[in-house]
Amino acid sequence: MNKIVWSKHSVLVIAIVATWLTTYFGYITSFNMKIDNIMQEFILFLNPLSFLLFVYGIALFIKSTKRRNFYIMTVSVLTSIIMFSNAVFYRFFNDFITLPVLFQTSNFGDLSSSVTANLHVMDIFFFTDVLIIYLAIRFMPKDNPIGQQNKNGRKLYFVMTAAVMMVNLGLAEMERPQLLTRSFDRELLVKNIGTYNYHIYDLFIQSKSHAQRALADGSELVEVSNYINASYAAPDPEMFGVAEGRNIIAISLESLQSFVINEKMDGHVITPFLNELTKDPDTFYFSDFYHNTGLGKTSDSEFLLENSLYPRNGSAVFFTHSGNTYQSMAAKLGENDYYTNVMHANNRSFWNRDIMYGALGIDKFYDIESYTVGEGEAVNWGMKDIPFFDQSVELMKEMPQPFYSRLITLTNHHPFDLDEEDKLIPEYTSNSSTLNKYFQAVRYMDEAVKILFEDLKESGLYDNSIIVMYGDHYGISENHNKAMGMYQDKEITPFDSAKLQKVPLYIHIPGYGKGKTIDEVSGQIDLKPTILHLMGLETKEDMTLGSDILSPDHEPFTIFRDGRFVTDKNVYTQEVCYDSETGEETDMVECEPFIERSVTELNYSDMIINGDLLRFKEEQEQSTEINSKDKE
């Protein structure tokens, strides 16, 4: 029998094939990416190859077999770590890692429980290629019958690599035109150019965004201002100033989605107090209200509330642009003699809040050091909601009035673990432990809100306050759609997933008596102008992309950070236009007028943030003020 003669670069070939297949099988087993046709499947299969050919191909320049094999092993370990990290991240965020997220190291310790809950035994599969390559290096014969690789051979190799890349990009462009210039959806990028190339593209985008501030000169403000002015919705004269002079208590309801409101789980009422509040004559309840957050989650919802600008795509503004100039709601209220503060029983550096709150003009941050966490009162990374509310009201009693207090809750946070005494209803039973525990955590939150209202009444603060409560972001990601389908007794489609991004919004004005349920489409982007108009403060000169929901001119339209959008007639998601009433696909012509507008509006928001454009507006206002004084 003839002895098998192995090429000098057989290990290289094995490494490329092993990592290619491991990556592809990782795609189809760990990421919930929708594949509509055979072409998309082929692109998904092909897209890791060009990067792997290039990065492993560098080994062709390494003459020493030992060093070459070490390099190949190092590459295989790094690519496996990239895929493994993205898989764990995807299970929690339903998204892919971006570079700014990797530098949010101050959050990692606090997120450890959520990360641990998303680890799977089968994650070891991502390192299959490492094992295969190690065995190839260890046990393949060391015969090297082929001499030193010549330059022409290397050129041919990299020409082939470039050809594979061009074929990949060509097919991707056919499937998704202008993919790299118009897409806010990282899943689309990964499906078409691959995880590894996506991270290179992300590096380019992040570098570009950081360069924008240095290159900005303020001329972009004119274009953005014209767009904002054209979209302005004047306040309803009957609503303008109805809460003037009152304290503002804004409560961020952690991970609360609207699908639990006025609903039951296995016969158990999930949110009894919040249900009553939807019918309270002093309450405006917004039943078709959506979160607009991205990877910054709760910090993004804070940013939206304060600025009426969209968060950045793929990162948390609180980290990347905490040095910017902003025209926040807190700053505007502060100019009108409000004592502005945030109350959150967590580490002050989490989400970079200690720095960002200064940029937002917030007077005081009551962090975990402002609270006493008694035995059995700790949860997740801070304090349970009930004792948090109790102590927060005590702190409010000492504040100068009027005050603007934002309270950020914690208990209803992934992985939704509760102590036994806090489980007021049983667990749900499905294939998702996350969804099963979610209902219990929501029920506890509802009880905490009820106690907050009681505390406010007992303290004497209730009657002279306006209470705004909103869900900050989703709690159940699309990775749990199978279990969600079991709960809702239907298959969850992309249309349903978009509609599940509804979060509750309550505006409670004690003594008002004319509250009602408002079913107009709106989003967190609209909170700032809505609240300020209720307080009798005009927003016409503000750089806000949202509009007053209570205004007769408010348009029923809201944009998600990933480019999806909802109108009163349609839902646009995964490049399909759906009818809002039936949930069925409809003619794309109905969504087309809003597609371009969504891209434009998100780009304008990014321009304001990346270029720090509001610094120029502030300079203009200061210059005008100085000139006015000189004339006097």
Side-chain angles (χ1 to χ4, degrees), residues 615 617-627:
R615 60 187 159 131
K617 191 171 191 295
E618 186 176 82
E619 290 170 4
Q620 292 171 3
E621 291 171 349
Q622 289 175 350
S623 177
T624 301
E625 186 178 338
I626 291 171
N627 291 335

Side-chain angles (χ1 to χ4, degrees), residues 27 31 51 78-79 81-87 89 95-102 186 189-190 193-207:
Y27 284 163
F31 304 99
F51 174 84
L78 290 176
T79 55
I81 290 173
I82 289 171
M83 288 298 295
F84 164 72
S85 301
N86 274 286
F89 188 83
D95 210 332
F96 295 87
I97 293 175
T98 63
L99 285 175
V101 170
L102 291 177
R186 280 172 291 282
L189 290 169
V190 171
I193 65 173
T195 308
Y196 311 118
N197 288 326
Y198 151 70
H199 284 299
I200 295 173
Y201 174 75
D202 179 46
L203 175 63
F204 166 75
I205 292 297
Q206 301 304 332
S207 301

Side-chain angles (χ1 to χ4, degrees), residues 155-223:
K155 286 181 180 178
L156 180 61
Y157 177 92
F158 284 103
V159 167
M160 179 183 69
T161 300
V164 173
M165 171 61 82
M166 295 307 295
V167 169
N168 186 175
L169 289 176
L171 293 175
E173 183 67 17
M174 289 170 57
E175 276 294 309
R176 179 60 166 87
Q178 297 178 290
L179 173 71
L180 300 181
T181 57
R182 293 172 56 88
S183 179
F184 297 105
D185 188 343
R186 280 172 291 282
E187 184 171 302
L188 270 177
L189 290 169
V190 171
K191 284 199 299 185
N192 284 282
I193 65 173
T195 308
Y196 311 118
N197 288 326
Y198 151 70
H199 284 299
I200 295 173
Y201 174 75
D202 179 46
L203 175 63
F204 166 75
I205 292 297
Q206 301 304 332
S207 301
K208 179 182 175 182
S209 71
H210 285 296
Q212 281 182 275
R213 189 184 192 282
L215 298 173
D217 60 6
S219 60
E220 303 97 327
L221 264 178
V222 176
E223 182 182 351

